[in-house]
Amino acid sequence: MSSTASGKNGTWRNWGGNVSARPAREVTPASVDELAAAVRQAAEDGLRVKAVGTGHSFTSIAATDGVLIRPQLLTGIRKIDRDAMTVTVEAGTPLKRLNVALAREGLSLTNMGDIMEQTVSGATSTGTHGTGRDSASIAAQIKALELVTADGSVLTCSEKENPEVFAAARIGLGALGVVTAITFAVEPLFLLTAREEPMPFEQVLADFDELWAENEHFEFYWFPHTGSTNTKRNNRSAGPAQPVGQVKGWFEDEFLSNGVFQVANWVGRAVPATIPSIARISSRALSARTYTDIPYKVFTSPRRVRFVEMEFAVPREAVVATLRELKTMVERSGLRVSFPVEVRTAPADDITLSTASGRDSAYIAVHMFRGTPYQRYFTAAERIFTAHEGRPHWGKVHTRDAEYFSQVYPRFGEFTALRDRLDPERRFQNDYLRRVLGA
């Protein structure tokens, strides 16, 4: 069941199960015109408007008591332009459908996150990213956008057309309008060789700059309560393709990473004292492997074990110090953490409220199994991240507000001024946007 399914009596819940809302009504427009009409109608009825994708955000960024717009009929590829090397897709298209369709055409995005359930507009509006030395977030690959603004008009933007809107709307938090179509840069389909291997925590930190510099896409997972990590290096390859075998793939990606991990988390939730032992076993369960495949089969993996997540972007040069503080905190706190900490990077980009806006960044993500208390752990982690001027992922748990953001985003005022112009009556406002952007 997808997270967009409504629960009893019209209650909407997100994927992580930590956010719910009761909209006054839901609309599933089949065209841009229908969506624009729904926005105009909401204004007449004095209701606010929010579009929601698959609910993969852990914040209440998509929650509303007004009109909830579901984009599942606004899907598919509008156009592939092989001269410009772009693809234009409807906003409600799930990333996995885009990836498969592009691969059939011999094309691919340059970089992507590790989950592909989200809609293209939901993923880009919240700043979803993977890891990359030179290639940035999904939003940084956008070449043009189409959105319905508060007065029901359709606005298109790119570097040439309405550039000030383009600078902000690529990661627009749903605050500037409802995105209806996105044009992405694409490139000819290529192969990546993934090299996954365990490495001691101390070694990864000592060699971090080197590992980052020598690989196009480097990331690692540290298992709290252990000195172990699992590293992943993805680099372009001349081939031939050598995918993970079906049985081996099922065993490692489904049985170990999802099935056994789910059971381990159930045990850990019931008996927290067992978590450090489980973590030591988990950190050793995944052995080294190397395989070569097309990008989405390397970058993305199934995530069936539900969790709640907090992630902050810190300046890349601060990542090692931040991780050491995080490890010390976990060891001293008596906390029991059953999910690994994920570390990725991104180069600086030019998007107003991108977590990597104007600075090379490293991402540190902390997770807790769905249904276990996460506040103590996340509060302590957030204190460490904010001491390094961390910027939280817009779709993941955090307690930051507009005052904080105005300090860590040099162009914060540029975004709020544009919002004042495009949505003066706050048609797209909700509690989350009131907190993070100010009233």
Side-chain angles (χ1 to χ4, degrees):
M1 171 171 135
S2 107
S3 52
T4 45
S6 276
K8 299 181 192 69
N9 43 11
T11 302
W12 169 83
R13 283 186 197 291
N14 69 337
W15 182 85
N18 65 319
V19 178
S20 62
R22 295 197 60 178
R25 63 168 178 257
E26 290 190 17
V27 182
T28 310
S31 67
V32 176
D33 288 344
E34 279 182 27
L35 197 157
V39 171
R40 285 194 295 269
Q41 185 61 52
E44 279 176 40
D45 300 342
L47 293 171
R48 302 203 190 276
V49 180
K50 281 274 88 141
V52 67
T54 52
H56 262 271
S57 287
F58 303 98
T59 56
S60 52
I61 190 165
T64 187
D65 56 5
V67 178
L68 190 68
I69 291 182
R70 296 184 173 280
Q72 62 256 42
L73 299 180
L74 298 173
T75 61
I77 291 180
R78 271 192 198 178
K79 171 176 161 201
I80 292 174
D81 182 338
R82 288 184 187 272
D83 295 328
M85 284 306 273
T86 59
V87 59
T88 302
V89 281
E90 305 277 345
T93 310
L95 283 167
K96 60 181 171 192
R97 279 182 49 196
L98 173 62
N99 286 332
V100 170
L102 285 175
R104 274 204 297 262
E105 298 283 342
L107 300 167
S108 176
L109 293 171
T110 300
N111 198 354
M112 56 194 81
D114 59 3
I115 298 177
M116 56 170 178
E117 308 302 319
Q118 311 102 313
T119 59
V120 292
S121 57
T124 53
S125 294
T126 53
T128 299
H129 61 91
T131 189
R133 180 189 59 203
D134 313 303
S135 53
S137 72
I138 308 178
Q141 298 168 66
I142 295 177
K143 289 291 178 201
L145 272 180
E146 174 187 274
L147 65 161
V148 170
T149 55
D151 61 3
S153 59
V154 179
L155 175 74
T156 53
C157 62
S158 64
E159 279 175 5
K160 303 242 185 330
E161 188 183 7
N162 297 309
E164 74 297 342
V165 178
F166 184 67
R170 283 173 286 170
I171 299 180
L173 318 185
L176 305 174
V178 178
V179 175
T180 47
I182 300 177
T183 301
F184 290 104
V186 290
E187 56 177 305
L189 194 63
F190 54 94
L191 291 171
L192 285 170
T193 292
R195 182 174 155 201
E196 298 172 10
E197 62 179 335
M199 194 181 285
F201 181 78
E202 286 303 330
Q203 189 190 336
V204 176
L205 295 199
D207 298 345
F208 185 81
D209 288 340
E210 219 167 297
L211 288 161
W212 169 81
E214 288 172 2
N215 295 284
E216 290 171 70
H217 308 276
F218 174 68
E219 67 185 302
F220 71 92
Y221 295 86
W222 163 58
F223 295 83
H225 314 297
T226 76
S228 318
T229 76
N230 208 32
T231 62
K232 186 168 178 175
R233 296 168 236 204
N234 298 329
N235 290 288
R236 293 195 183 216
S237 160
Q242 287 176 308
V244 177
Q246 253 177 324
V247 174
K248 190 172 159 55
W250 175 84
F251 180 73
E252 290 171 345
D253 297 326
E254 284 296 345
F255 181 70
L256 287 180
S257 297
N258 284 302
V260 172
F261 192 49
Q262 176 85 50
V263 174
N265 272 284
W266 281 332
V267 172
R269 185 165 68 186
V271 191
T274 58
I275 287 175
S277 317
I278 292 170
R280 285 190 287 276
I281 297 163
S282 300
S283 71
R284 289 196 292 264
L286 295 168
S287 50
R289 62 176 184 173
T290 302
Y291 53 96
T292 301
D293 213 328
I294 60 175
Y296 82 84
K297 293 188 177 178
V298 173
F299 283 132
T300 67
S301 50
R303 288 270 185 279
R304 304 197 203 290
V305 183
R306 303 229 173 178
F307 53 83
V308 178
E309 180 179 359
M310 165 182 279
E311 180 184 62
F312 272 72
V314 297
R316 204 187 65 238
E317 61 275 12
V319 67
V320 171
T322 309
L323 284 165
R324 283 199 198 286
E325 289 164 34
L326 191 67
K327 186 169 189 278
T328 303
M329 180 275 288
V330 171
E331 283 163 2
R332 288 181 185 162
S333 64
L335 285 163
R336 296 281 177 257
V337 181
S338 62
F339 254 81
V341 171
E342 183 181 21
V343 182
R344 297 176 287 175
T345 68
D349 65 40
D350 64 349
I351 303 170
T352 318
L353 291 187
S354 163
T355 43
S357 183
R359 74 180 190 196
D360 291 343
S361 301
Y363 294 94
I364 303 173
V366 296
H367 314 70
M368 274 298 227
F369 183 46
R370 178 174 170 170
T372 46
Y374 58 82
Q375 282 81 359
R376 240 185 91 210
Y377 177 37
F378 284 12
T379 300
E382 188 171 27
R383 201 173 291 134
I384 292 168
F385 299 146
T386 53
H388 292 281
E389 296 195 337
R391 298 168 176 171
H393 187 301
W394 296 106
K396 295 174 189 179
V397 177
H398 68 89
T399 66
R400 304 293 92 196
D401 60 15
E403 191 186 348
Y404 178 83
F405 291 125
S406 65
Q407 291 160 14
V408 296
Y409 282 102
R411 297 166 64 193
F412 187 74
E414 206 178 296
F415 189 97
T416 53
L418 179 67
R419 178 183 181 224
D420 288 341
R421 196 184 99 203
L422 291 181
D423 187 13
E425 292 179 5
R426 300 292 185 260
R427 185 66 45 217
F428 303 113
Q429 173 95 290
N430 63 4
D431 292 343
Y432 180 77
L433 292 181
R434 191 176 293 111
R435 167 162 71 93
V436 301
L437 296 175

